Amino acid sequence: MEGLFFNVNSGFLEGIVRGYKSGTLTQSHYASLTQCETLEDFKTQLSATDYGNFLANEPSPLSTATIADKATQILVDQFNFLRSNSVEPLSKFLDYITYGYMIDNVVLLITGTLHERDTHELLERCHPLGIFDTMPALCVATNVEELYQSVLVETPLAPYFRDCLSAADLDDMNIEIIRNTVYKAYLEDFYNYASTIGSTTAEVMHSILAFEADRRTINITINSFDTELTKEQRAKLFPAIGRLFPAGNNVLAKADDIDQVRQVCENVGEYRSFFDNSASAQSNGDLGDFGVAAQLEDRFFRMEVHLNKLAFLQQFQYGVFYSYVKLKEQEIRNITWIAECIAQDARDRIHDFIPIF
Amino acid sequence: MGDDYPTLFRSEQMSLRQFLIPTEVAHDAVAELGELGNVQFKDLNPAVNPFQRSFVGEIRRTEEMARRVRFFESQIQKEKDVVPIRPLYDSSPLVTVGPSAAHNIDELDVTLAEHETRLVQMNDSYKTLSERTRELVEARHVLRETAVFFDKAETQQTDIRTSFDDSSAPLLQHDDREQQYSSAVQFDLEFVAGTIDRTRISTFERVLWRVLRGNLYMNHTDITEPFVDPATGTETRKNVFIIFAHGDALLAKIRKVAESMGATLYPIDANADKRSDSLREVTARLEDLETVLYNTGLNRRSELLRIGENLARWQDVVRKEKAIYETMNLFNYDVRRKTLVAEGWVPIRDLPMIQMALRHATEESGTSVVPIVQELRTNKTPPTFTRTNKFTEGFQTIMDAYGIATYQEVNPGLFAIVTFPFLFAVMFGDIGHGLIIFFAALYMISQEKKWARQELDEILGQFFYGRYIILLMGLFSVYTGLMYNDIFSKSLHIWHSGWDFPEPGSNGASYAVSNGHMYPFGVDPAWHGADNGLVFTNSYKMKMSIVLGVIHMTFALCLQLPNHIKFKRPLDIYANFIPQMIFLQSIFGYLVVCILYKWSIDWSTRDTEPPSLLNMLIAMILSPGKVDATSQLYRGQGFIQVVLLLLAMVCVPWMLCMKPYFQWKERQLIEGQGYVGLGHRNGGPRESTDEVLEGEEEGNGRAIVEEMEEEHEQHDFSEVVIHQIIHTIEFCLGCISHTASYLRLWALIRTIGRVARRGRARARAR
């Protein structure tokens, strides 16, 4: 039934987003990008792709930051086009996508203010998808209560923050806790929202969001080893969704070292590969927890890309919009990585990006 | 085919040539060939990345130049007063060939860079200056508005005081202020004043209210004139705000919020005298700044004017240079890297011109090594090149929009010169309207030289491009208008009408009586205004449309015949052309014959009713063999129709099967003789070897390899069958749908006529 009327309101935008998606860089594009000698070559090479001459008006010594900025700008423009052409419930869905960025921005601003960075510099570093008007006022707040009362109360993030009002002072640890509590609330809310807009969307989004939740759970667990964070506090930060929930989460809440995390992941088929090589890596060289985490992060990204790619196999659902934004983000990360490798002449690591198609 | 004269009938004869151009002449030679524009170069290194090609450096340099030129252009466009750009045909061309080419380009590069830095500098100083001016203007506004506010407060002071006498908190605050006013002692009244973007004012207010929990008094007013950003030209509107609050902490918070929201704060003194002092100071500084700003603006403008003079030719040169190097990237170096090897398709007729151009290029560059042009033998299909002139160009473009004929095939563009305007005229058919568009086209042609150099807007440009089409359409419309006897939807009485109208009878109607002679040309004007006039012209024009349509289709069908004869494909004649022709003629050709026959009979003397031909055609297919005796057109009609229908039916399988069958048989024959296609049995491994070959071989080798692949595809039997099925279905359905489409001619005649008549009726009513 969804398929019957889907195209009335969202068919155009789905077509647009699928068109955008077919413009993502392919394996062969990456192959030729990695062969570039200088950033000028890089620019020439990119101009042959869907990015077109987005760098044509940049004066000659290019920086990787410019490339990343301009590429992000393209994504933002595309997203804004989608957003302004959408109607309910798609527009709401697209808004949900921005909430994630909004949370990141809020946390960035709070942390920045805490460390007494320049406000304008901070504002520039915010992700353009997560900007809202009252955002600049965040930097006057000194505790969570004030933060909530003065700024966040009128943003869509307000309900997410309600849970963490108890946290007293703003310090690095608390901010991290706030971020994770808020993100947990956001993921759960998004998960529930996805269930209300049709079964196909729910199916696609649930698999992506479940992975996202698991990823956070695992990350929180690994990062909280040897910190002041108590196990009860840790358990509170875990999203109540995902494939590890509830049994895996319970074990993770009590975990003390990375092996326990690995055992939990063994229970889920798709996650089994996360720790595959890390065992051998650990045995032949003492990479330590940090090395495993770095490798894990890479695997997570791969998994995310894989899930987002799967979203495009289903028609008549909104998951494609989410997936497109995420894939494009990954692509921008890839481009920036390659550009950075070229700029710093680190050719041996140039292939460490995550190919999408 | 010793054609001496370029013809539109078939595309030009082409030949694949190899150019061996010494490296030092290459640039000039390509420039010359580019001006000629009749060589189509092949990419000789398709496997090479764009940035690994030989002339990337040069391209990058021209791209940088192009960026600068674009920057100038955008600057000029942003300028509010129009900066004239001297058109290209007016400016002297920049020499980029010959011995001084490199020097000239270097010079251009330097000039562009100089202009850029100068312009950027000026922009910067202009920007900082206007920024400062803006700040001062804002400060002045803030000063004025606060002054207004304080004045108001002062007059109201006493009232406020009495009304708040018994309440404590506001009174305290008020007392502070009051003290400040009354006493000459300096006291820091707690307020913050500044300007902020108007769109943000509500958010600002809301945030402040929440941050300070309502402990503030805020006042804001609009600044009427907008602030224009000099760099982008966007307008922003701002508001002046003044906020009173109590306590240093709160004020600090306000300042912080204001700053983070992008507001500008101005230190305003609470003392009225000091305020007026600073206002005076600000005004004075503003005046100074404005003179400086004006001068800077003037300087910048004169710089832009200078750029505007040369901009067009810079653009031209930069574009040409880029195109030249991009072309040269298609070339290959020979072994010793002394010469560039190029391959390209060339019209045989233009070879002498190309030789001349190459020689000219060599002479210009002052070397004695002449580029060598030699023929490459290939059996690849050359590209289609149809030479057009300004008259035929429009028609050819219309045809190309439908599809481009294969090399040396008959070009329908030639016939479109007549058929296109004619079919238009059949619809349009009006002397008056025809003359209007004829003269419009004539005017455009007379302005040709002038307009061709101008940049016309989209709509006018389109009309101008099709001016010769419009000319012919007008001309043909005059002719068909004469036939229809229509001038502005009225009739012309040139000769005596063949009908007389006697005095009207008792009911006011009069019946025309034939007076024996016939109207010599076109429709008798007596029909115009007759009650059955519409019935007559409708039936007449509808049938005429069908007749014209079938003739048109038959003619178009015949166009394939010369192709089959020229390319020696007798099978196509027997398997395609003949059954198609029979199919078309036995149904629609027959309809045309019937129409003509029906016209030729005086039905008033016959005892049968005139049959409806449409019903006849439908009955012919739906109930073959049966013809209603009352609506019989001629004797033996049923039998003839059955025969025709059977003929048409036979043609379908004929078209469908004959060609694939013969091709299959031919291949059987070849295989029977012991020849086996290499790639036929084991396509997989063969293809992989092809790729390897492609990687190893270069130039000619590749051409042959590709050729073999194409050939291989053609022999795929299933492809032939599918192609033939599509072709057959397309033809049969096409016949029907095209005939229906030609009825649209008639529909449009009616519409156009009616619109004209209605318009006139309305004018009369007024």
Side-chain angles (χ1 to χ4, degrees):
Chain A
M1 272 312 279
E2 286 158 29
L4 202 54
F5 297 110
F6 181 86
N7 281 348
V8 176
N9 284 329
S10 317
F12 168 66
L13 289 179
E14 192 189 354
I16 294 279
V17 89
R18 278 176 192 275
Y20 284 158
K21 173 228 159 198
S22 58
T24 44
L25 302 181
T26 59
Q27 216 37 280
S28 63
H29 285 134
Y30 283 121
S32 43
L33 280 178
T34 48
Q35 286 170 21
C36 292
E37 295 288 330
T38 62
L39 286 185
E40 291 297 309
D41 287 343
F42 196 73
K43 173 175 158 186
T44 322
Q45 196 58 250
L46 270 184
S47 66
T49 66
D50 260 31
Y51 281 98
N53 43 3
F54 74 121
L55 293 170
N57 281 339
E58 294 303 316
S60 211
L62 272 176
S63 72
T64 42
T66 334
I67 296 177
D69 281 352
K70 288 277 162 185
T72 314
Q73 194 50 46
I74 287 180
L75 170 63
V76 171
D77 289 346
Q78 288 176 342
F79 184 84
N80 286 339
F81 178 79
L82 294 173
R83 175 67 188 85
S84 48
N85 278 292
S86 60
V87 290
E88 282 289 332
L90 178 58
S91 53
K92 175 97 176 148
F93 181 85
L94 292 177
D95 284 344
Y96 260 100
I97 297 177
T98 62
Y99 295 166
Y101 298 99
M102 277 160 78
I103 295 172
D104 286 345
N105 285 351
V106 168
V107 174
L108 175 78
L109 277 179
I110 305 173
T111 330
T113 322
L114 196 68
H115 294 284
E116 288 172 358
R117 294 272 173 75
D118 182 36
T119 318
H120 293 282
E121 192 191 316
L122 286 174
L123 286 177
E124 267 168 35
R125 279 177 50 202
C126 284
H127 197 285
L129 277 183
I131 283 179
F132 49 98
D133 338 330
T134 50
M135 203 173 71
L138 279 174
C139 41
V140 288
T142 48
N143 60 47
V144 190
E145 180 70 32
E146 200 178 3
L147 200 71
Y148 179 76
Q149 290 298 344
S150 59
V151 185
L152 293 172
V153 71
E154 65 165 16
T155 64
L157 300 182
Y160 307 148
F161 273 91
R162 220 172 276 148
D163 291 338
C164 50
L165 287 180
S166 55
D169 277 328
L170 286 177
D171 57 38
D172 278 340
M173 169 100 161
N174 271 336
I175 287 176
E176 209 45 44
I177 292 177
I178 291 173
R179 180 215 288 271
N180 284 311
T181 326
V182 169
Y183 220 94
K184 161 193 152 85
Y186 162 65
L187 280 180
E188 287 167 6
D189 188 31
F190 200 176
Y191 194 86
N192 290 333
Y193 177 70
S195 325
T196 63
I197 44 175
S199 58
T200 339
T201 309
E203 194 184 314
V204 172
M205 283 313 293
H206 282 179
S207 78
I208 296 175
L209 290 176
F211 167 71
E212 187 69 32
D214 290 340
R215 165 157 117 173
R216 294 200 81 84
T217 309
I218 296 173
N219 273 340
I220 292 168
T221 314
I222 295 177
N223 290 336
S224 67
F225 293 154
D226 307 325
T227 55
E228 302 161 28
L229 198 72
T230 60
K231 289 185 176 164
E232 291 77 54
Q233 271 177 316
R234 190 203 294 172
K236 267 188 215 156
L237 299 179
F238 292 164
I241 51 170
R243 305 185 61 177
L244 297 177
F245 178 80
N249 280 11
N250 285 338
V251 180
L252 284 178
K254 297 188 189 79
D256 279 321
D257 57 25
I258 207 149
D259 276 324
Q260 279 168 298
V261 180
R262 181 180 307 144
Q263 268 163 14
V264 171
C265 289
E266 296 280 289
N267 296 331
V268 180
E270 280 86 347
Y271 298 169
R272 210 161 283 164
S273 62
F274 289 161
F275 291 95
D276 254 6
N277 284 1
S278 50
S280 60
Q282 227 166 9
S283 61
N284 60 28
D286 47 350
L287 274 160
D289 280 0
F290 175 73
V292 175
Q295 213 171 23
L296 198 61
E297 196 64 5
D298 217 45
R299 298 244 166 91
F300 283 150
F301 276 133
R302 271 174 214 280
M303 185 72 186
E304 186 189 2
V305 165
H306 173 70
L307 285 174
N308 281 324
K309 260 157 70 180
L310 290 186
F312 280 92
L313 299 182
Q314 294 258 35
Q315 193 117 32
F316 305 135
Q317 43 96 10
Y318 296 142
V320 283
F321 295 97
Y322 182 85
S323 297
Y324 174 69
V325 174
K326 292 291 163 191
L327 287 180
K328 198 74 181 172
E329 229 188 355
Q330 182 58 45
E331 182 178 290
I332 293 167
R333 271 197 292 272
N334 289 346
I335 290 177
T336 320
W337 174 261
I338 296 174
E340 202 68 59
C341 283
I342 292 170
Q344 298 180 3
D345 210 21
R347 303 229 131 244
D348 45 331
R349 301 204 56 198
I350 204 165
H351 290 283
D352 290 359
F353 59 88
I354 293 142
I356 297 176
F357 287 105
Chain B
M1 304 280 278
D3 296 8
D4 305 307
Y5 198 75
T7 155
L8 257 189
F9 186 57
R10 291 186 191 283
S11 59
E12 290 286 312
Q13 282 195 314
M14 308 289 279
S15 100
L16 186 64
R17 296 283 155 145
Q18 190 175 44
F19 298 80
L20 296 171
I21 311 171
T23 323
E24 60 268 28
V25 210
H27 176 270
D28 296 3
V30 173
E32 285 280 344
L33 292 178
E35 295 289 342
L36 272 181
N38 46 16
V39 186
Q40 183 185 335
F41 286 108
K42 270 172 50 174
D43 192 353
L44 291 186
N45 18 351
V48 184
N49 270 332
F51 62 89
Q52 285 168 340
R53 299 197 174 204
S54 322
F55 297 96
V56 186
E58 284 85 348
I59 287 188
R60 209 159 277 157
R61 184 168 152 196
T62 45
E63 260 170 12
E64 183 66 21
M65 279 154 81
R67 185 189 63 77
R68 293 203 172 110
V69 171
R70 271 202 304 277
F71 170 68
F72 298 149
E73 205 183 350
S74 69
Q75 286 292 322
I76 284 178
Q77 271 168 2
K78 258 184 226 150
E79 186 74 5
K80 255 186 252 112
D81 306 317
V82 181
V83 176
I85 297 177
R86 205 201 298 176
L88 185 60
Y89 58 84
D90 239 14
S91 32
S92 61
L94 215 58
V95 183
T96 52
V97 289
S100 60
H103 175 67
N104 280 350
I105 292 292
D106 286 343
E107 210 168 304
L108 178 62
D109 201 3
V110 171
T111 334
L112 289 181
E114 268 174 11
H115 276 296
E116 194 198 16
T117 41
R118 226 177 305 160
L119 200 58
V120 167
Q121 254 172 24
M122 283 180 185
N123 277 353
D124 279 351
S125 57
Y126 190 80
K127 205 175 152 192
T128 37
L129 280 175
S130 43
E131 200 86 345
R132 221 176 294 158
T133 333
R134 205 204 61 205
E135 269 169 26
L136 285 177
V137 170
E138 278 179 14
R140 196 175 60 186
H141 277 290
V142 174
L143 282 169
R144 274 195 201 143
E145 297 301 332
T146 43
V148 169
F149 178 77
F150 279 124
D151 287 349
K152 223 197 275 170
E154 218 158 314
T155 55
Q156 288 172 349
Q157 197 180 146
T158 42
D159 311 343
I160 297 168
R161 180 167 194 179
T162 46
S163 65
F164 280 104
D165 247 352
D166 42 2
S167 66
S168 56
L171 188 65
L172 252 178
Q173 194 183 355
H174 185 75
D175 267 353
D176 284 350
R177 204 190 310 160
E178 198 203 349
Q179 263 178 12
Q180 215 268 324
Y181 283 118
S182 45
S183 64
V185 185
Q186 284 300 309
F187 183 80
D188 185 27
L189 184 72
E190 290 157 332
F191 68 89
V192 174
T195 55
I196 192 169
D197 218 314
R198 191 167 303 169
T199 50
R200 292 198 160 180
I201 193 102
S202 59
T203 345
F204 183 52
E205 209 171 346
R206 230 166 35 234
V207 168
L208 279 180
W209 198 84
R210 254 188 262 118
V211 168
L212 306 179
R213 300 206 169 72
N215 289 324
L216 80 159
Y217 175 73
M218 180 167 173
N219 197 13
H220 59 87
T221 39
D222 299 354
I223 299 175
T224 38
E225 65 260 34
F227 294 95
V228 183
D229 188 340
T232 55
T234 47
E235 289 186 355
T236 43
R237 289 175 180 274
K238 295 200 164 184
N239 273 23
V240 172
F241 64 84
I242 175 164
I243 304 162
F244 295 91
H246 198 64
D248 280 342
L250 291 192
L251 282 179
K253 260 187 190 169
I254 295 176
R255 288 213 179 85
K256 207 161 178 200
V257 170
E259 265 164 18
S260 60
M261 297 282 284
T264 343
L265 298 179
Y266 295 94
I268 303 293
D269 207 289
N271 189 311
D273 293 338
K274 286 206 171 172
R275 273 208 310 275
S276 58
D277 273 355
S278 53
L279 183 61
R280 224 171 293 130
E281 196 191 334
V282 162
T283 321
R285 270 171 59 199
L286 199 57
E287 265 170 24
D288 290 351
L289 256 182
E290 257 161 11
T291 25
V292 179
L293 191 65
Y294 177 74
N295 282 332
T296 323
L298 221 56
N299 269 338
R300 186 168 165 268
R301 190 175 158 74
S302 67
E303 176 74 19
L304 281 181
L305 280 174
R306 228 172 305 144
I307 291 171
E309 287 221 326
N310 289 317
L311 190 63
R313 61 181 194 159
W314 289 343
Q315 274 172 334
D316 181 53
V317 166
V318 168
R319 247 179 246 154
K320 269 187 196 163
E321 283 299 302
K322 193 173 174 209
I324 288 171
Y325 284 116
E326 269 175 357
T327 314
M328 280 164 72
N329 264 341
L330 304 177
F331 299 174
N332 231 340
Y333 272 110
D334 78 332
V335 198
R336 286 177 300 138
R337 298 188 74 81
K338 281 272 169 95
T339 46
L340 280 168
V341 183
E343 278 175 31
W345 291 101
V346 174
I348 288 178
R349 195 193 316 283
D350 289 343
L351 270 176
M353 268 161 77
I354 287 164
Q355 294 279 17
M356 283 281 283
L358 288 177
R359 204 162 302 143
H360 184 241
T362 340
E363 280 164 16
E364 282 281 292
S365 62
T367 50
S368 52
V369 208
V370 183
I372 301 162
V373 182
Q374 62 190 31
E375 192 172 354
L376 287 177
R377 295 208 156 265
T378 171
N379 41 1
K380 273 188 79 104
T381 319
T384 308
F385 172 61
T386 324
R387 204 179 291 267
T388 52
N389 53 28
K390 62 183 179 184
F391 178 71
T392 51
E393 192 187 5
F395 296 100
Q396 188 61 45
T397 314
I398 294 178
M399 280 305 120
D400 287 349
Y402 286 94
I404 294 172
T406 322
Y407 177 62
Q408 289 264 298
E409 268 187 357
V410 171
N411 172 24
L414 174 66
F415 307 102
I417 295 174
V418 175
T419 53
F420 185 83
F422 179 71
L423 288 181
F424 170 83
V426 169
M427 291 185 273
F428 201 68
D430 190 302
I431 305 170
H433 301 152
L435 280 176
I436 291 177
I437 58 170
F438 176 73
F439 284 118
L442 217 54
Y443 175 71
M444 278 195 277
I445 290 166
S446 70
Q447 300 293 313
E448 200 170 64
K449 284 229 170 69
K450 214 169 85 192
W451 284 18
R453 285 194 305 216
Q454 283 171 3
E455 286 210 358
L456 300 171
D457 60 52
E458 204 176 338
I459 294 172
L460 195 62
Q462 245 173 37
F463 282 123
F464 180 66
Y465 190 75
R467 58 196 181 278
Y468 288 101
I469 306 178
I470 298 176
L471 183 81
L472 285 195
M473 291 196 303
L475 211 60
F476 280 65
S477 296
V478 172
Y479 167 74
T480 46
L482 278 171
M483 293 303 285
Y484 297 164
N485 209 340
D486 258 352
I487 175 161
F488 297 115
S489 293
K490 298 277 249 181
S491 56
L492 265 183
H493 284 262
I494 305 173
W495 295 283
H496 283 293
S497 168
W499 299 89
D500 287 333
F501 285 96
E503 286 299 303
S506 54
N507 53 358
S510 82
Y511 293 92
V513 180
S514 169
N515 56 11
H517 66 259
M518 202 185 288
Y519 201 70
F521 186 85
V523 176
D524 193 312
W527 282 108
H528 199 88
D531 273 352
N532 56 350
L534 204 62
V535 178
F536 166 71
T537 45
N538 269 351
S539 143
Y540 170 68
K541 286 174 179 173
M542 176 167 66
K543 281 168 186 149
M544 184 191 67
S545 303
I546 296 285
V547 173
L548 289 177
V550 173
I551 292 172
H552 193 203
M553 283 195 287
T554 312
F555 172 70
L557 204 56
C558 290
L559 284 185
Q560 61 174 295
L561 200 56
N563 287 341
H564 297 328
I565 294 172
K566 183 177 160 79
F567 296 115
K568 303 205 171 52
R569 293 184 300 218
L571 183 62
D572 277 312
I573 299 181
Y574 304 129
N576 273 337
F577 174 66
I578 292 178
Q580 280 176 353
M581 200 49 131
I582 294 175
F583 183 87
L584 181 67
Q585 297 311 333
S586 60
I587 297 179
F588 299 104
Y590 172 66
L591 179 64
V592 168
V593 171
C594 288
I595 288 171
L596 295 178
Y597 180 69
K598 190 180 162 188
W599 276 345
S600 68
I601 290 174
D602 183 359
W603 289 96
S604 59
T605 62
R606 292 282 281 262
D607 40 358
T608 50
E609 284 286 298
S612 158
L613 290 178
L614 185 68
N615 289 343
M616 183 204 82
L617 193 72
I618 293 170
M620 167 176 166
I621 292 162
L622 289 187
S623 52
K626 280 182 235 149
V627 176
D628 199 357
T630 52
S631 61
Q632 202 180 26
L633 196 62
Y634 55 90
R635 255 183 300 140
Q637 191 185 357
F639 174 70
I640 287 181
Q641 284 181 357
V642 169
V643 171
L644 288 173
L645 195 63
L646 283 178
L647 265 178
M649 300 283 251
V650 166
C651 287
V652 178
W654 183 354
M655 276 185 272
L656 208 56
C657 303
M658 188 167 162
K659 192 175 170 188
Y661 173 71
F662 272 94
Q663 284 196 345
W664 177 74
K665 218 176 140 190
E666 195 181 7
R667 231 206 20 238
Q668 288 296 89
L669 203 68
I670 293 172
E671 279 179 11
Q673 284 170 337
Y675 296 99
V676 180
L678 270 174
H680 183 60
R681 290 271 156 71
N682 41 5
R686 159 88 198 172
E687 263 167 43
S688 66
T689 51
D690 265 358
E691 269 164 47
V692 175
L693 273 177
E694 205 168 327
E696 283 171 4
E697 292 186 61
E698 281 183 57
N700 314 355
R702 187 195 314 287
I704 291 162
V705 170
E706 281 168 16
E707 169 61 23
M708 281 167 85
E709 264 173 62
E710 270 172 34
E711 205 83 332
H712 174 237
E713 264 175 1
Q714 269 180 6
H715 277 293
D716 209 341
F717 186 66
S718 61
E719 292 230 343
V720 175
V721 174
I722 290 170
H723 183 254
Q724 195 64 22
I725 291 173
I726 294 172
H727 194 71
T728 309
I729 295 173
E730 195 189 346
F731 176 76
C732 296
L733 294 184
C735 272
I736 297 162
S737 86
H738 290 166
T739 313
S741 299
Y742 283 107
L743 281 177
R744 212 167 295 154
L745 287 181
W746 158 66
L748 277 168
I749 305 169
R750 294 180 59 195
T751 329
I752 291 169
R754 210 179 301 156
V755 168
R757 261 191 294 277
R758 194 166 304 154
R760 214 172 40 223
R762 203 165 295 159
R764 214 179 293 135
R766 240 178 251 140

